[in-house]
Amino acid sequence: MLGMPTIPPTSPRGVGNLRGEDRFPVAARRTLADTQLRRNLGKATTTIRSKRAQVVAELPDWEELREAGRQLKVHTMAHLPGYLAQLESAVIAQGGVVHWARDANEANEIVLDLVRDKGVDEVVKVKSMATQEIGLNEALEAAGIAALETDLAELIVQLGHDKPSHILVPAIHRNRAEIREIFLREMADVDPALTDEPAALAGAARQHLRRKFLSAKVAISGANFAIAETGTLAVVESEGNGRMCLTLPDTLITIMGIEKLVPRWQDLEVFLQLLPRSSTGERMNPYTSMWTGVTRGDGPQEFHLILLDNGRTAVLADAEGRDALNCIRCSACLNVCPVYERTGGHAYGSVYPGPIGAILSPQLTGIEDNASLPYASSLCGACYDVCPVKINIPEILVHLRAKHTETYAADHRLPSAEASAMNAAAWVMSNPKRWTYALRSGRLGRILGRKRDVIGGVPLPLVKQWTDARDLARPPTQTFRDWWAAEHGGER
Amino acid sequence: MNAREEVLARIAAAHSAAPPPNLPYESISRGYRITSHSSKEALAELLIDRLMDYRALVRQCSADDLAATIATALADRGAQTVVVPDGLESTWTAGVAASVRMDGLSVEDQLTVSELDGVDGVITGCAVAIAETGTLILDGSSSQGRRVLTLIPDYHLCVVLPDQIVSDVPEALARLAATRPLTMISGPSATSDIELNRVEGVHGPRTLEVIIVGEEGSS
């Protein structure tokens, strides 16, 4: 219909890894019980937080870089069609092939066709969030093609038949002893005397993958940045597995979300300062590869770029939520989040965990499929403080909570537990007598909380939905108002 | 509609449902540092500090001593065979005891991957070096060769000339052509994937050695 813009579709169900099996509170209860996981995460996030703070403090212009990063992203999102077309022509002009994918299914199909066309049954992969998101490995496997993850953490996850739990370090939930066990169990060629020294574990991965790299015919990667002006793609990494995949095979297939663009070559000067310091807490990551189409005599002679939507345009249609697309996947917000640090990434269900996941996943899938995620936060704001492109995550969380309560009410003709609680609170707090009375009824809470000194699940309709996932402090014996009245009589 | 048309139409629909803010490219605020006023000596010193922080080996020499320094580095390493891009200054390897193999840009003149896997090291120059981050940038020009050269051998010896050191990322990018195959190298291959601690030595060269050549006339 003319004049009535249709909202673009979210990512389809039944494919990819954006939706968990359980709601966050259920999954979090399970992961919180895993003390080993909590110890591993606590140790790793503490390390990375202090490293990040140190290298960020070295730059006197950090805030100016953040602001430039934010504005570059906002500008790019407002001019996406032009920049995408520019990127496309630049890549084609340099000998690359550009494909467009409406969603995960279409992207997987394109890759499958390309790989089948090469007649190989194995591909090497550079760590990529986009391919995790669309479930590419599962799609390749179903077609009898082995996808070999080459990033150390991805390899640990793949060999451990596990799921990634962090954007940057998918195996952050594993400690060295666990990694050693996985390697001993799953690597056919491993030295049985392998120790759990990180250097020895890295050496085992080197040996395990080396032959595969040297003989691989097809590689699949994501991209950290794409430069519209020049058609240049960039992959930022540490180990050299990225360089192996990007230079040794004859054919390279790169899948990137349409939001990964930056307008010009010069703009990388901002992001190449923001990203390494925010993600691994390094002044610069060990290796960054940049390539434009095909270079004769150097690297893959066939290059395919797949531009992926999969719900991104739906996010773009929400003025208050779309800054989530500005994310450069550094994962600093995960590392500072008190919720993530305790529950770990698996509790979020989606490949995008932590604060950024809590605003990105529900928007990519539609709020109804990840309704619990916007509540998986205490709104403390630490994520906003560290975000290298200044995404106001707490504000978007609140926006998505509102969106959820509205959608829920419309769908169920009933307010959600959160909306009911807020309505009740508004009614009580708008009248001083009701408020005083309600505070005194906190004494009921003393009884409810007498066992654990907190109030857990209360088996009453509506109250149950609120208290299932929220422990409340046991109220004191006397309210402040009663104490004031007792101490000061009628004074005000 | 094909996928391309449909994705572009979706973006248009999103923009019309929620008009984006008007922020022209020229108005983007760039208040960060673009250049520095550090002296060449200070930049070289900073680069050395950063390289050593990421456990690269560093040697300094004058232009006259470069060949001898390269020869010593390879001898200390115990390298028997090394590969060099065929555009590397031939005087650089004049004193080298190891056997030197050339790798060309045309396919007939290239070593195979398994040949590269068999050499003990690679010697290259670089296009630019960033002092602030300890980064060497290779752009595939004649002194650096194709990308695999500095990837497969386990030892990379990289020569940095005096006018190649810049202070920070913006100055470095301004010197480079985006469409060349580029590799930015900051220290030896490493990983932070085990308990988020940096460990050197995964798939790339496990030893990175850098020779910083001093200004003419300085010692």
Side-chain angles (χ1 to χ4, degrees):
Chain A
M1 260 194 310
L2 279 176
M4 259 286 284
T6 36
I7 299 299
T10 50
S11 81
R13 288 179 180 157
V15 58
N17 297 302
L18 287 170
R19 297 163 174 88
E21 279 162 26
D22 294 309
R23 294 184 311 122
F24 181 82
V26 176
R29 200 173 284 281
R30 197 163 52 230
T31 58
L32 283 169
D34 185 343
T35 50
Q36 182 67 58
L37 172 88
R38 291 179 65 176
R39 247 198 317 272
N40 295 352
L41 275 171
K43 188 171 174 224
T45 52
T46 307
T47 307
I48 194 71
R49 280 199 299 266
S50 77
K51 280 171 72 181
R52 178 201 163 274
Q54 222 174 337
V55 294
V56 163
E58 281 180 10
L59 295 188
D61 54 350
W62 182 251
E63 286 309 317
E64 286 78 10
L65 285 165
R66 286 179 80 209
E67 183 56 26
R70 185 189 76 79
Q71 292 191 21
L72 276 165
K73 281 294 184 180
V74 168
H75 166 83
T76 307
M77 296 313 151
H79 298 86
L80 260 190
Y83 286 135
L84 284 169
Q86 208 184 349
L87 175 78
E88 182 186 40
S89 356
V91 169
I92 293 170
Q94 297 291 328
V97 182
V98 178
H99 310 256
W100 298 69
R102 277 166 272 225
D103 57 30
N105 288 315
E106 194 166 15
N108 288 337
E109 275 306 312
I110 295 170
V111 176
L112 272 179
D113 284 347
L114 290 171
V115 174
R116 281 201 196 105
D117 190 46
K118 296 289 149 204
V120 296
D121 57 7
E122 187 171 87
V123 297
V124 286
K125 278 191 69 202
V126 191
K127 178 178 152 24
S128 137
M129 293 309 297
T131 62
Q132 287 278 2
E133 174 191 321
I134 63 175
L136 178 65
N137 288 8
E138 292 88 331
L140 286 168
E141 226 161 274
I145 296 157
L148 195 67
E149 291 291 354
T150 64
D151 169 75
L152 179 53
E154 288 280 11
L155 181 69
I156 295 163
V157 167
Q158 193 173 44
L159 291 177
H161 310 288
D162 200 355
K163 287 191 166 183
S165 73
H166 190 274
I167 290 175
L168 178 74
V169 193
I172 194 171
H173 56 291
R174 299 287 195 187
N175 66 20
R176 57 184 79 186
E178 294 170 283
I179 296 167
R180 174 179 172 269
E181 275 170 41
I182 292 171
F183 281 10
L184 286 177
R185 195 173 62 234
E186 301 286 337
M187 282 182 180
D189 46 356
V190 77
D191 175 5
L194 180 70
T195 69
D196 66 1
E197 271 304 301
L201 295 170
R206 176 185 169 98
Q207 208 188 349
H208 177 72
L209 288 173
R210 193 138 185 105
R211 207 167 20 87
K212 299 283 188 188
F213 280 136
L214 301 189
S215 61
K217 296 276 175 267
V218 178
I220 298 172
S221 86
N224 290 95
F225 305 104
I227 298 146
E229 178 189 35
T230 60
T232 307
L233 290 152
V235 163
V236 172
E237 53 132 355
S238 296
E239 296 163 18
N241 64 304
R243 292 181 68 194
M244 290 278 182
C245 293
L246 298 169
T247 52
L248 283 175
D250 304 327
T251 304
L252 171 63
I253 304 168
T254 299
I255 302 168
M256 62 169 253
I258 52 171
E259 83 286 16
K260 285 275 165 275
L261 278 175
V262 299
R264 300 184 195 172
W265 170 242
Q266 189 204 350
D267 303 331
L268 266 194
E269 71 190 20
V270 175
F271 296 105
L272 287 181
Q273 294 191 70
L274 289 171
L275 181 56
R277 289 179 200 258
S278 298
S279 58
T280 46
E282 294 168 303
R283 298 186 188 102
M284 194 62 86
N285 50 291
Y287 298 131
T288 297
S289 296
M290 292 181 251
W291 73 97
T292 309
V294 169
T295 306
R296 267 240 303 268
D298 187 350
Q301 295 301 296
E302 188 174 328
F303 171 56
H304 297 269
L305 176 65
I306 301 172
L307 299 170
L308 173 73
D309 180 357
N310 204 35
R312 284 159 176 78
T313 48
V315 185
L316 194 65
D318 182 338
E320 288 166 86
R322 67 174 154 222
D323 281 356
L325 292 176
N326 299 354
C327 172
I328 57 171
R329 310 281 188 265
C330 72
S331 67
C333 64
L334 278 62
N335 300 332
V336 297
C337 178
V339 176
Y340 176 87
E341 184 179 354
R342 285 161 182 82
T343 64
H346 290 155
Y348 294 78
S350 160
V351 286
Y352 302 112
I356 185 62
I359 61 169
L360 189 57
S361 309
Q363 295 198 82
L364 288 172
T365 61
I367 190 85
E368 56 284 0
D369 281 9
N370 270 307
S372 62
L373 289 186
Y375 298 95
S377 165
S378 63
L379 301 180
C380 76
C383 47
Y384 182 26
D385 290 343
V386 296
C387 178
V389 290
K390 296 170 80 170
I391 301 170
N392 192 333
I393 296 176
E395 199 175 276
I396 299 179
L397 284 168
V398 172
H399 163 66
L400 293 175
R401 290 180 186 186
K403 206 167 169 176
H404 165 234
T405 54
E406 283 156 23
T407 316
Y408 188 94
D411 288 355
H412 296 73
R413 296 162 188 264
L414 259 180
S416 65
E418 287 80 10
S420 309
M422 290 305 157
N423 287 338
W427 182 76
V428 170
M429 291 166 95
S430 63
N431 176 306
K433 270 192 183 153
R434 277 182 224 146
W435 181 233
T436 308
Y437 186 74
L439 287 177
R440 284 194 188 131
S441 74
R443 285 168 198 154
L444 170 67
R446 291 224 25 104
I447 302 167
L448 289 169
R450 68 187 182 278
K451 269 193 202 151
R452 293 193 294 142
D453 215 35
V454 289
I455 305 172
V458 178
L460 291 172
L462 285 180
V463 183
K464 179 180 186 314
Q465 287 174 49
W466 180 273
T467 55
D468 260 358
R470 297 171 178 88
D471 281 343
L472 301 176
R474 192 181 181 198
T477 46
Q478 191 179 30
T479 69
F480 175 76
R481 284 171 169 242
D482 287 346
W483 171 83
W484 185 270
E487 290 287 306
H488 301 272
E491 286 172 51
R492 287 195 172 241
Chain B
M1 262 199 290
N2 64 28
R4 181 185 194 276
E5 289 160 356
E6 187 162 341
V7 171
L8 291 174
R10 287 176 183 179
I11 298 170
H15 280 159
S16 103
N22 176 31
L23 176 60
Y25 186 83
E26 291 68 29
S27 310
I28 291 168
S29 85
R30 293 183 190 261
Y32 53 88
R33 295 168 303 162
I34 306 278
T35 52
S36 110
H37 303 294
S38 302
S39 66
K40 284 194 167 185
E41 292 73 28
L43 288 181
E45 222 167 279
L46 184 60
L47 175 63
I48 291 165
D49 174 79
R50 299 309 199 220
L51 285 167
M52 290 172 65
D53 193 32
Y54 283 157
R55 299 199 189 102
L57 307 173
V58 181
R59 290 175 198 256
Q60 287 176 271
C61 71
S62 68
D64 291 342
D65 292 338
L66 178 57
T69 309
I70 289 175
T72 313
L74 291 180
D76 289 354
R77 171 79 186 172
Q80 305 288 317
T81 45
V82 290
V83 62
V84 299
D86 67 1
L88 194 82
E89 193 74 53
S90 60
T91 54
W92 289 13
T93 50
V96 168
S99 79
V100 178
R101 304 194 62 176
M102 302 272 204
D103 185 86
L105 266 187
S106 69
V107 182
E108 311 83 69
D109 302 334
Q110 291 179 351
L111 272 67
T112 65
V113 168
S114 55
E115 282 175 314
L116 284 174
D117 201 24
V119 303
D120 297 321
V122 55
I123 312 170
T124 70
C126 69
V128 189
I130 306 174
E132 184 68 54
T133 60
T135 304
L136 311 169
I137 307 181
L138 277 55
D139 70 354
S141 54
S142 56
S143 74
Q144 298 135 59
R146 57 193 179 119
R147 289 171 286 173
V148 281
L149 285 191
T150 53
L151 178 61
I152 311 280
D154 205 11
Y155 169 75
H156 179 193
L157 180 62
C158 186
V159 176
V160 181
L161 299 175
D163 58 354
Q164 288 175 332
I165 307 176
V166 299
S167 85
D168 215 335
V169 180
E171 281 182 279
L173 295 194
R175 286 197 184 194
L176 295 163
T179 48
R180 299 192 66 94
L182 298 169
T183 307
M184 302 176 67
I185 299 173
S186 309
S189 152
T191 181
S192 300
D193 283 354
I194 301 165
E195 300 173 4
L196 280 177
N197 271 312
R198 183 168 164 135
V199 189
E200 279 76 20
V202 199
H203 305 294
R206 286 180 286 191
T207 307
L208 173 68
E209 182 153 10
V210 184
I211 298 178
I212 312 278
V213 181
E215 285 283 1
E216 213 61 49
S218 70
S219 55

